[in-house]
Amino acid sequence: MKRIQRRTLVATLATASLAVLLPATSFAQKPIVLGFSQVGAESEWRTANTESVKASAKDAGIDLKFSDAQQKQENQIKAIRSFIAQKVDVIAFSPVVESGWEMVLREAKAAKIPVVLTDRSVNVKDDSLYVSFLGSDFVEEGRKAGRWLVEKTKGQSGTVNIVELQGTVGSAPAIDRKKGFEEIIKADPKFKIVRSQTGDFTRAKGKEVMEAFLKAEGKNINVLYAHNDDMAIGAIQAIEEAGLKPAKDITIISVDAVKGAFEAMIAGKMNVSVECSPLLGPQLMQIVKDVKAGKPVPKRIVTQEGIFPMETAAQEFPKRKY
Ligand code: GZL
């Protein structure tokens, strides 16, 4: 028998015997099963984030078990426990608030299911309870908002009275955006935060709280700092209903840079929005694949983001992806 034929035969036999040894399923890779607990559907940002996660899971061939917690921590804890019971390969979630996660994350660890944090982080003593946190630097987002205001009011004497619409109480973005903004403005005593209250990241609550601010402070308000565009857009409605001009009588500083913010800036009703990208899906799926493959993943991955003033909104808007 010719040498080449013999070699091919040996190779074929080897493969055949291997096929006999290995169960058939090992050849058809089983899809990774990812359990994802989403905060809710409270804002344009959240909707875009959900779309990014779902589309990226599909593109990556990952079997996504998706749960919407309607902004309730107990629903997220229930969802994570359900993922553990289903023995998913990886769990990912955006924690609605920073605290109260130790127990359920210990249950996931005991079940040997890795957990990835996305968008928001948690306050835990033992950071081995999660493998990686992918999301924005919210403190820096607050600093960007503060720096923009300092620049805009440079050389202006007299007090600058600020009202602040905070995000969800206890959430990382609300805590850190406040922290970063105050870190910058505290350098100049002309800046005074005269009212600060949560609008829970929604348009409706943002409008309601801004109405209360206007009743209490009236024309005394110079600046609104909103922790997200949805609350800012609700506040703009309240400002107009009070007979004032948003972005002129009251300077409007916001965060997220969603489509609604660009539309408001193009209409001359919002001064600036600090970008906070919801398009975390592709990076999240890569982390999930790497974790499943046993590859090392960075503990912290920070998304890169910009700031968009009204002056450039019209030219930037066509390029926006969310
Ligand atoms: C930020 C995200 C925040 C957005 C809000 O990463 O958690 O939650 O800024 C959203 O619009 O509701």
Side-chain angles (χ1 to χ4, degrees), residues 70-134:
Q70 285 142 9
Q71 286 190 287
K72 291 186 174 57
Q73 181 173 31
E74 63 266 26
N75 290 344
Q76 289 200 286
I77 291 172
K78 264 188 224 138
I80 293 169
R81 286 193 167 126
S82 163
F83 297 146
I84 294 170
Q86 294 174 62
K87 296 186 171 39
V88 299
D89 295 304
V90 182
I91 291 170
F93 75 117
S94 168
V96 62
V97 292
E98 284 191 334
S99 55
W101 303 101
E102 305 269 351
M103 186 184 293
V104 73
L105 291 179
R106 281 213 197 93
E107 291 165 24
K109 187 173 181 181
K112 296 191 177 14
I113 299 176
V115 174
V116 178
L117 302 180
T118 162
D119 168 26
R120 300 181 185 178
S121 189
V122 295
N123 233 339
V124 290
K125 292 184 200 64
D126 173 7
D127 73 0
S128 74
L129 291 174
Y130 63 89
V131 287
S132 183
F133 165 37
L134 163 66

Side-chain angles (χ1 to χ4, degrees), residues 161-163 194-197 207-222 238 242 244 250:
N161 293 316
I162 303 161
V163 292
V194 294
R195 299 268 164 174
S196 181
Q197 192 178 326
K207 181 172 189 248
E208 184 190 312
V209 174
M210 190 67 201
E211 284 164 352
F213 287 165
L214 287 160
K215 270 203 191 77
E217 295 291 341
K219 294 207 182 331
N220 187 32
I221 300 171
N222 306 114
L244 296 171
I250 297 179

